[in-house]
Amino acid sequence: VKFVGRPAGTGPCTAAYSLDVAESRTAVAIAVHGTFHDPDVACLLVGNTRYLTTVLSAPIGNRVVVDAVSSMAISVTEQVHS
C-alpha cells in the first residue's frame, strides 16, 4: 500500500504505521494506522511517500479494494518488485 505520511523514525515529527486488512470473496478492506512520535511538537506539513505490505489469502483478482476508513474504492496498480 502506497500512502503519504510522516517520515519513518522514532524522533519528533516521525511516525510508525501499521496496516489492518479484512478480506472477503468480493472485497479487500485496508486501513492504515499511524503512531505519531511526540505529537505535541510543531512539525512541517511535508508528506513523505510511505509503503506498507501485506500478504493476502488469495490474489486480488476481481475483488474491489476499499479504504476501510472512508469506504471509498482504491485504485489498484501492479507493482513489480525486483
Side-chain angles (χ1 to χ4, degrees), residues 12-74:
C13 302
T14 64
Y17 293 94
S18 62
L19 192 63
D20 285 336
V21 178
E23 296 182 65
S24 76
R25 189 175 53 78
T26 58
V28 176
I30 297 173
V32 175
H33 299 283
T35 301
F36 305 106
H37 306 295
D38 206 354
D40 296 327
V41 172
C43 301
L44 294 175
L45 295 176
V46 176
N48 291 263
T49 301
R50 301 287 304 265
Y51 298 90
L52 292 172
T53 60
T54 190
V55 176
L56 300 176
S57 63
I60 290 177
N62 291 330
R63 295 187 287 177
V64 65
V65 180
V66 177
D67 177 332
V69 176
S70 69
S71 299
M72 299 294 295
I74 301 171

